[in-house]
Amino acid sequence: MTGPTDEPDVAADDGAVPGELSDDVVGDVPDDVPGDGVARTDDGPDDGADFEGPRRRARREREERRAAQERATAIENARREAKRRVAGRPVDEPKPSARGLIRGLKALMWSALISVLVVGAGLLLYFTPIMSARVMAITGLVTLTQDEVEQAAAVPADTPLLQIDTDTVADRVATIRRVASARVQREYPSTLRITIVERVPVVVKDYPDGSHLFDRDGVDFATAPPPPGLPYLDADTPGPTDLPTLAALQVLTALRPEVASQVSRIAAPSVASITLTLFDGRQVIWGTTERTDEKALKLGALLTQPGTTYDLSSPDLPTVK
């Protein structure tokens, strides 16, 4: 037996550095040796910045296992979906969540409520005089009067605007001979607007009952004294379907304004023999309506030359006599 001061003999390995413990001795050093820098895993107080107790470690391990399980599930689902696509089978759609279903039901309810309100408002406006035609605004009047247009429109007072068929009213207004076109619009809350375009006389022809005015389309729209300077039309059966009439009107509308104002009469016995007579007595032999725009351009320069007859039947060789 040794004394209390005796130390156990420690065998040093060959080549060991004096003053250092061997690996075997280090491995037997107890964990609670003060001053070592190894992190402890016991339940004692957290003295280090990186200390992790058993509860924190268990929680971390659970989170890691959960994340690994979610990754494995996602990989398996992707593999199954890929196999379904390759096999041509339908892919399972994710089921809508309860929250999304509730949101969809709310949107459907609001849509139904709005639809009911819109329909109710429409019925109210359609069957009651809340928005009725109390004002008729007519624009585009030149020769016609407002009373003539209102009588042709035939819209009863205080008729709800929604009950008014605007196309039908426009057709009724267009039956007026002087009206070239008519447009009817509702202007809420209480106005019916009618916009018309009156026909403009281009030529005049004398009949036993008076002078008939024709517009650029050959429509006989009025029996009245012609405006000053309006050229007379010499055609057998003038009208919107008469070819010589349409040819004469095509020539007149192609002339430059300063030349058209000099024409007192246009004769169209046929499509191929159109002749213009100017106020000073000079004549223009036009011929057919071929190359009308070119002829109209050359006539302005040709009239500056002295003469009584200007032949444009051949625009390449115009002559003056």
Side-chain angles (χ1 to χ4, degrees):
M1 173 176 287
T2 61
T5 59
D6 293 338
E7 297 284 346
D9 294 335
V10 178
D13 292 338
D14 294 338
V17 180
E20 292 185 356
L21 297 179
S22 65
D23 293 339
D24 295 337
V25 176
V26 173
D28 296 333
V29 175
D31 293 337
D32 56 353
V33 175
D36 70 348
V38 181
R40 308 298 182 207
T41 58
D42 54 5
D43 293 335
D46 187 3
D47 294 332
D50 296 331
F51 177 78
E52 182 181 37
R55 295 181 180 177
R56 186 178 300 177
R57 182 172 61 251
R59 185 166 57 252
R60 176 177 56 79
E61 291 175 352
R62 286 196 301 269
E63 292 176 355
E64 291 177 353
R65 287 195 298 270
R66 189 181 300 112
Q69 181 65 28
E70 291 176 354
R71 286 195 299 269
T73 302
I75 294 172
E76 180 64 19
N77 292 337
R79 185 185 63 80
R80 292 178 180 177
E81 185 176 338
K83 289 181 63 177
R84 291 192 186 97
R85 287 198 178 98
V86 172
R89 289 179 293 179
V91 179
D92 294 339
E93 296 293 337
K95 296 182 179 179
S97 62
R99 182 177 299 177
L101 182 60
I102 293 174
R103 189 181 295 113
L105 291 176
K106 287 183 179 179
L108 183 61
M109 290 176 59
W110 278 109
S111 299
L113 179 60
I114 293 173
S115 300
V116 171
L117 292 177
V118 170
V119 172
L123 293 175
L124 184 66
L125 296 177
Y126 188 85
F127 290 104
T128 63
I130 295 177
M131 290 187 179
S132 59
R134 290 185 287 272
V135 178
M136 186 173 294
I138 302 174
T139 58
L141 298 177
V142 178
T143 306
L144 296 172
T145 64
Q146 178 136 346
D147 290 339
E148 290 177 300
V149 178
E150 288 181 355
Q151 291 177 4
V155 177
D158 296 330
T159 302
L161 289 176
L162 290 178
Q163 292 187 18
I164 298 175
D165 188 340
T166 55
D167 291 337
T168 301
V169 175
D171 291 340
R172 289 200 293 261
V173 174
T175 58
I176 302 175
R177 292 173 62 189
R178 282 187 175 271
V179 174
S181 65
R183 182 184 181 187
V184 180
Q185 298 171 288
R186 305 183 190 93
E187 292 185 356
Y188 297 97
S190 60
T191 301
L192 186 68
R193 179 170 298 278
I194 301 177
T195 305
I196 66 172
V197 177
E198 292 191 16
R199 299 185 186 276
V200 178
V202 177
V203 293
V204 60
K205 183 175 176 62
D206 290 331
Y207 284 89
D209 61 343
S211 299
H212 288 220
L213 305 180
F214 294 81
D215 69 355
R216 62 183 302 153
D217 297 322
V219 176
D220 180 359
F221 66 90
T223 301
L230 194 67
Y232 280 81
L233 173 65
D234 290 334
D236 296 334
T237 57
T241 60
D242 182 59
L243 295 181
T245 299
L246 296 180
L249 294 173
Q250 179 183 349
V251 171
L252 277 178
T253 54
L255 296 177
R256 298 168 63 181
E258 63 272 14
V259 176
S261 61
Q262 302 181 46
V263 179
S264 64
R265 185 179 296 270
I266 181 168
S270 68
V271 176
S273 56
I274 299 174
T275 303
L276 307 178
T277 302
L278 308 185
F279 281 105
D280 57 8
R282 292 181 294 176
Q283 285 191 338
V284 177
I285 301 175
W286 196 272
T288 67
T289 56
E290 294 181 0
R291 301 168 66 180
T292 292
D293 293 337
E294 182 180 351
K295 293 179 181 179
L297 186 62
K298 291 183 176 181
L299 179 60
L302 205 62
L303 290 177
T304 59
Q305 302 180 19
T308 57
T309 303
Y310 301 84
D311 191 347
L312 285 171
S313 57
S314 177
D316 292 329
L317 294 172
T319 59
V320 180
K321 298 179 182 178

